Amino acid sequence: MKLAEALILRADAQKRVAQLRQRLMRSARVQEGEQPPEDPQGLLAELATTTDELTRLIQQINRTNSVTSFQAGVLSDVLAIRDTLRLKRTAYDSLIGAAATSQDRYMRSELRLISTVNVAELQRQIDQLSREYRELDAQIQALNWATDLIEA
């Protein structure tokens, strides 16, 4: 199995766990004399099986990422860089949203708010971060489809 396939399976398992959690919540309590929409014990068993599979996939993915060479390091190091690029871009975008919010003033006596950051410069930085993220992510995706998952 390729690393990319394992990542797809991991995402599916994570979605399945979230769905099982919601179904368990709906079946946790019922009015006296009523039956739950689904058997909680069956759902708990399915949750245990799914989380065991998820654990195995995560372990294999992490093992593979830690030994797969990528440019001057290993894939796990590059994934950390990609993730922090996304975090930084999101933070800058939120800052622009807060700084660029228009203010309705109905009277001249109302307080006027001004931006404390250069929105245009932040937008240029966001564009650069986005470009770096896209390029790095494309390289990572290509490597994921070329790398065999460590099975043990």
Side-chain angles (χ1 to χ4, degrees):
M1 174 185 325
K2 295 295 182 187
L3 177 56
E5 294 171 289
L7 293 168
I8 292 168
L9 292 175
R10 179 188 69 183
D12 289 345
Q14 289 169 330
K15 288 176 192 169
R16 184 80 177 141
V17 167
Q19 291 169 349
L20 287 167
R21 181 175 176 259
Q22 290 174 347
R23 291 167 58 193
L24 277 163
M25 293 301 118
R26 286 193 300 263
S27 300
R29 293 175 69 181
V30 294
Q31 189 173 8
E32 188 175 349
E34 296 290 322
Q35 294 295 317
E38 296 183 76
D39 174 33
Q41 295 308 315
L43 292 173
L44 286 169
E46 190 175 345
L47 179 65
T49 302
T50 304
T51 54
D52 288 347
E53 175 65 15
L54 182 58
T55 299
R56 185 185 63 75
L57 282 168
I58 291 171
Q59 289 170 337
Q60 290 176 307
I61 290 166
N62 288 347
R63 243 182 254 118
T64 304
N65 287 343
S66 67
V67 299
T68 301
S69 296
F70 187 92
Q71 296 171 354
V74 292
L75 185 54
S76 58
D77 293 341
V78 177
L79 291 171
I81 293 168
R82 182 193 64 182
D83 292 346
T84 55
L85 282 171
R86 180 178 34 211
L87 285 173
K88 191 174 184 181
R89 187 210 174 280
T90 302
Y92 283 12
D93 194 45
S94 296
L95 178 58
I96 285 176
T101 301
S102 66
Q103 174 190 5
D104 293 328
R105 289 179 44 197
Y106 299 103
M107 298 176 62
R108 290 180 56 87
S109 61
E110 289 183 65
L111 295 177
R112 190 177 128 193
L113 301 176
I114 59 170
S115 177
T116 59
V117 295
N118 183 335
V119 173
E121 176 56 32
L122 281 173
Q123 187 59 57
R124 279 191 290 280
Q125 290 178 7
I126 285 175
D127 293 344
Q128 178 61 32
L129 289 168
S130 296
R131 186 174 21 268
E132 289 175 28
Y133 179 89
R134 279 191 311 275
E135 291 169 359
L136 188 57
D137 190 57
Q139 293 171 355
I140 290 169
Q141 296 302 322
L143 184 60
N144 287 345
W145 282 106
T147 301
D148 290 320
L149 185 69
I150 295 176
E151 295 290 334

